[in-house]
Amino acid sequence: MELALTMALTPFLPELAVSSLIILLVLLYIAYWRSKYQSLFPIDWPLVGLLPSLVANLHNLHDYVTDVLAASGQSFTAHGPVATNMRLFITCDPDNVRHIFTSNHENYPKGHEFAEIFDIMAGAFFTIDGDPCRRQRAKTQSILGDPRLVASMASNCYDKVRNGLLPFLTCMASTRTPIEMQDLATRLMFDVTAMAVFGVDPGCLSTDMPSMHVSTAMDTIMEVGLFRHTVPASCWKAMRRLDIGPERKLAAAHTVLHGFVSEMMEKVRTATHHHGHGDDAEEKQAPSSMDILSSYINDPDYNADGDLLHSMLITYMVAGRDTVGTTLPWFFYNLAMNPHVVFGIREELAPIASRKAATSTSNGDGTTVMFSPEDTKPLVYLQAALFETLRLYPPGSIERKTVVADDVMPSGHEVRAGDAVLISLYSMGRMENLWGNDCREYRPERWLSVSNHGSSKLRYVPSHKFLAFNSGPRMCLGKHIAVMQLKTIAAAVVWNLDVEVLEGQTVEPKLSCLLQMKNRVMAKVKKRAI
């Protein structure tokens, strides 16, 4: 049998040898190509689409997507498993961004899929589109534009830094006790935001470091949100029905957040009631009338105990806590890695500190200097350092839109009605053709230009290129407040303390819609000798 088979194949041996050699060379080439570029090109597999590529790269998803976008000209299309009819267009091209967010804004709403992903905020301006969104944004703009509220928020932030953050850090410095950067920033901004929203200080930033279960629940919303973004809706909805996996954790988070809102509202009602009856003891604890809740509590469009008011208050808490609370750890990490930036910020602060020297606000040692929002408003290098942090580490790493009608992007890519559009803010800050060959370096100077008088001024960068505060009709309404808070906190810490990140740690983003730090990044602080 074997002899007969050999004799039958003998005439074809040269051809078989050549064919085998060609196949071997092709396989070797493919293996080499895959090993060299597998991180750059996702495989849109038959039947299962992009899902295996995403799963295989979950450990470094943001950088993986960045490499893919850089290799594919800043945009690519992909599919989910065939049964889901899931189609994705992923981009960080500024021309596409301007088209999506401004030029053809009405064709790219957030869509009902986005609203389902963040159902904890159902009905609030963060998740809705069209006229309802415009009406809510108009009300929000009037609230956040009220000079009395802005002044109250500025005062609360200033006081929390002076009486809470700096004493805590000074205590840690005296004992050389390491602090977890992300946890500290989150606690600080949870308190500051709750004071703005409810007029009540939860006291998360205190020496006994109370449980942060409410803040942890907010983190869960963003972590499971990314999971919902990247898997077919039918998958996570099935898990929700079965109450398993991430959906079980999310359901518990929803309960915690709604409970927190109810508790805060009850505190406000109780304090207001006692305040109205003139109880001197309670009067001292009565909440400030200048808070966000007071603008909604008597509005007939927002039932005082209804789901919409809860959604709105949770939205404000998330927006206020996350923008600043996520940026601060990356800011101080980058400063620790770049001492020359610390020097530049202190050089800018020095003339103000000198003027304050005789009458500086003190925490008991006569050396602590605080800087008011009026002090920090004109400081361009400090703002450049903060914007550089936001460029590389935007709090919201992705934006999602839905296509209403078939369209062609400026990049030439066609999108069809029903497609999901994902915009990677993280990747946009790392594109060489947008920011130069040093795009991955932390360099605040890229934000500065020289004015006609020889002084530095902030360089204008359009919002479709720097998307940290959104762009177009949905531009962040609280940008001015976030910048004020960032400057107040940053100036106080940089001037009064040295921050040192402990060596031997892996510093990377958490797998979440929110670009928080992963792995409990630890730092030490020491009182600066001024």
Side-chain angles (χ1 to χ4, degrees), residues 103-393:
S103 309
N104 201 11
H105 170 73
E106 294 296 330
N107 196 49
Y108 296 95
K110 293 201 170 185
H112 73 273
E113 294 92 347
F114 183 89
E116 288 183 322
I117 287 171
F118 293 108
D119 48 3
I120 186 73
M121 293 174 268
F125 59 85
F126 180 67
T127 61
I128 60 176
D129 299 294
D131 287 337
C133 179
R134 282 187 280 272
R135 286 194 297 270
Q136 284 195 18
R137 281 179 60 85
K139 182 176 179 68
T140 301
Q141 188 167 20
S142 71
I143 294 170
L144 298 183
D146 187 328
R148 295 170 302 165
L149 178 66
V150 174
S152 175
M153 293 177 72
S155 175
N156 286 339
C157 183
Y158 182 94
D159 290 344
K160 194 72 180 179
V161 173
R162 181 187 60 187
N163 301 322
L165 180 64
L166 288 182
F168 176 82
L169 290 176
T170 301
C171 177
M172 294 298 102
S174 66
T175 58
R176 296 295 286 162
T177 304
I179 58 170
E180 185 187 347
M181 296 171 67
Q182 184 64 69
D183 179 65
L184 181 66
T186 301
R187 287 175 179 276
L188 168 67
M189 290 314 301
F190 190 89
D191 283 352
V192 169
T193 306
M195 291 163 71
V197 176
F198 301 104
V200 175
D201 184 354
C204 291
L205 181 64
S206 58
T207 52
D208 61 347
M209 286 296 189
S211 169
M212 286 283 285
H213 63 286
V214 179
S215 193
T216 301
M218 293 168 69
D219 292 342
T220 298
I221 300 297
M222 293 300 171
E223 291 163 18
V224 181
L226 184 63
F227 171 75
R228 286 181 168 187
H229 270 301
T230 52
V231 302
S234 57
C235 176
W236 65 258
K237 286 180 180 179
M239 298 177 77
R240 182 175 62 183
R241 284 193 299 272
L242 296 169
D243 193 27
I244 60 174
E247 292 297 318
R248 183 180 182 87
K249 185 179 178 183
L250 183 64
H254 280 209
T255 301
V256 168
L257 283 172
H258 283 297
F260 168 74
V261 170
S262 297
E263 179 188 346
M264 288 294 103
M265 291 174 68
E266 185 57 35
K267 282 187 177 182
V268 170
R269 288 193 188 99
T270 301
T272 303
H273 173 75
H274 284 291
H275 180 65
H277 284 78
D279 187 311
D280 290 339
E282 292 288 347
E283 191 169 334
K284 296 177 181 178
Q285 299 180 26
S288 163
S289 59
M290 281 316 303
D291 55 62
I292 291 170
L293 174 60
S294 63
S295 300
Y296 288 93
I297 201 77
N298 296 317
D299 190 326
D301 291 336
Y302 300 87
N303 184 331
D305 293 306
D307 291 339
L308 180 55
L309 182 56
H310 273 226
S311 293
M312 290 296 296
L313 297 173
I314 290 170
T315 298
Y316 278 112
M317 282 298 299
V318 169
R321 183 200 74 146
D322 291 350
T323 300
V324 178
T326 305
T327 303
L328 285 171
W330 292 113
F331 173 74
F332 289 116
Y333 167 73
N334 279 292
L335 260 57
M337 299 298 106
N338 296 274
H340 70 281
V341 178
V342 177
F343 177 82
I345 295 172
R346 286 173 175 170
E347 194 173 43
E348 197 173 43
L349 290 168
I352 304 170
S354 295
R355 291 197 298 269
K356 289 174 172 285
T359 58
S360 65
T361 302
S362 169
N363 282 335
D365 57 9
T367 61
T368 301
V369 180
M370 282 293 298
F371 301 88
S372 70
E374 291 74 25
D375 292 329
T376 60
K377 190 172 183 179
L379 303 183
V380 293
Y381 190 76
L382 175 59
Q383 187 156 332
L386 289 164
F387 277 15
E388 182 71 344
T389 305
L390 287 163
R391 177 184 74 85
L392 287 168
Y393 303 98

